Amino acid sequence: MQSVWKSDFSIDMDTPKSTRNYYFEDLSVGQHFETDTHTVSEDEIKAFAAAFDPQPFHLDEQLARDTLFGGLAASGWHTAAITMRLLVDLGIPTGGLIGMGGEIAWPRPTRPGDTLRVASEVLEVTPPRSHTDRGTVLIRNRIRNQHDEVVQEFTGRLIVRRRPMTE
Amino acid sequence: MQSVWKSDFSIDMDTPKSTRNYYFEDLSVGQHFETDTHTVSEDEIKAFAAAFDPQPFHLDEQLARDTLFGGLAASGWHTAAITMRLLVDLGIPTGGLIGMGGEIAWPRPTRPGDTLRVASEVLEVTPPRSHTDRGTVLIRNRIRNQHDEVVQEFTGRLIVRRRPMTE
């Protein structure tokens, strides 16, 4: 199923988002997740850029041609934001997808019309210390376009709640 | 000067953005830059979250109270996007602020009403290899709120054009 976002970034808030919830105990090293896809329109690229990254190669096809990108390209932060949305739509750990940070790389730009999807893998799980209700997991998210090319890789540490004792 | 962004992320594109341009040769290790400030409204936080990170603690003050954040907080990717905008408004290297990637951390969340500013420092400069017109710089951006608390740190590598020989 494709997510549909309006170019002004408003969204139908009644759409059901998360279908799955995870506790820390449900995550293990080597686990894989695959999100739905989202096709990025030229309007979306320009709207995001106008707000957050107003550089010529994110705003104007003509001006973009003479730049390093050689054509209109999405802001890397736009690709990161789309990634987040795809992950949230997939289903979130109970307590939320709370990122502490991580390493991000953009090996190539997102282009108008690109259909993106995220593949995640759990790399490490760090159990909660005693008397706390949350552990951390290290997750690698690879975001690929329709040609199977990686447009972003983010390896980040998330805080995840453990299952309450009373359950 | 404060940037003013509408909550639907539209923006007056006639506003002059960049006042300075840099070539690779204009950057050196230890150089500092300081951006203008931007005050983040509750509406902005919710609008960004609705599009890209629709989790309760980014959307609803009431629901956010019982979460790890203890109140409404901006998506980390929203803080990252605001950072990018402040940097672009400051003035950009000729050829653009083209990020290859880097390390990001969010030591604490951005809250409604927070006034953010970015302080950047050039950590490394890597000259262009022969026959290329661009080098890379490693820059650390620290984003602080009005209490001088760091809400984000990003250390990233940028591609920067060198000054054309003919100039």
Side-chain angles (χ1 to χ4, degrees), chain A:
Chain A
M1 195 195 67
Q2 290 269 335
S3 314
V4 179
W5 306 337
K6 298 184 195 151
S7 66
D8 64 356
F9 296 134
S10 70
I11 195 161
D12 178 3
M13 293 303 299
D14 295 332
T15 310
K17 303 291 168 0
S18 309
T19 51
R20 283 180 280 183
N21 284 303
Y22 304 93
Y23 287 104
F24 177 81
E25 289 82 353
D26 301 320
L27 298 168
S28 58
V29 172
Q31 233 171 344
H32 281 268
F33 302 92
E34 185 100 21
T35 69
D36 277 343
T37 62
H38 177 70
T39 300
V40 188
S41 73
E42 186 173 328
D43 282 348
E44 278 174 31
I45 288 176
K46 292 177 179 176
F48 187 97
F52 297 115
D53 195 350
Q55 302 190 77
F57 39 68
H58 300 319
L59 288 170
D60 186 300
E61 176 61 41
Q62 204 69 25
L63 294 175
R65 282 195 202 145
D66 294 328
T67 68
L68 188 60
F69 288 114
L72 199 71
S75 170
W77 302 110
H78 191 188
T79 302
I82 291 167
T83 300
M84 188 69 209
R85 176 58 192 261
L86 288 169
L87 288 169
V88 171
D89 281 357
L90 181 68
I92 54 176
T94 305
L97 266 174
I98 301 192
M100 304 166 72
E103 256 190 87
I104 196 164
W106 297 286
R108 60 180 59 71
T110 297
R111 302 289 187 177
D114 272 2
T115 297
L116 304 184
R117 67 186 193 284
V118 185
S120 296
E121 183 178 353
V122 178
L123 301 182
E124 288 176 30
V125 297
T126 308
R129 274 171 288 186
S130 49
H131 306 299
T132 72
D133 68 348
R134 53 191 71 111
T136 64
V137 292
L138 187 69
I139 296 208
R140 183 181 57 215
N141 301 315
R142 284 213 178 98
I143 301 86
R144 290 188 174 84
N145 61 23
Q146 67 278 16
H147 308 299
D148 235 25
E149 299 164 328
V150 176
V151 294
Q152 182 183 287
E153 181 164 315
F154 180 66
T155 303
R157 202 166 287 279
L158 297 177
I159 300 170
V160 186
R161 276 183 61 205
R162 67 175 172 187
R163 178 166 287 109
M165 298 289 224
T166 50
E167 263 193 15

Side-chain angles (χ1 to χ4, degrees), chain B residues 128-139:
Chain B
R129 275 172 285 187
S130 50
H131 307 298
T132 72
D133 68 348
R134 52 191 72 110
T136 64
V137 293
L138 186 69
I139 295 207

Side-chain angles (χ1 to χ4, degrees), chain B residues 84-118:
Chain B
M84 188 68 208
R85 176 58 192 262
L86 287 169
L87 288 169
V88 171
D89 281 356
L90 181 67
I92 55 176
T94 306
L97 266 174
I98 301 193
M100 303 167 71
E103 254 190 87
I104 196 163
W106 298 285
R108 59 180 61 70
T110 297
R111 303 288 187 177
D114 272 4
T115 298
L116 304 183
R117 67 185 192 287
V118 185

Side-chain angles (χ1 to χ4, degrees), chain B residues 38-45 57-58 61 64-65 67-75 78-79 82 108-116 145-147 149 151:
Chain B
H38 177 71
T39 300
V40 188
S41 73
E42 188 174 326
D43 282 349
E44 278 174 31
I45 289 175
F57 38 70
H58 300 320
E61 176 60 42
R65 282 194 203 146
T67 68
L68 188 61
F69 288 114
L72 198 72
S75 169
H78 191 188
T79 301
I82 291 167
R108 59 180 61 70
T110 297
R111 303 288 187 177
D114 272 4
T115 298
L116 304 183
N145 62 23
Q146 68 278 15
H147 308 300
E149 299 163 330
V151 295

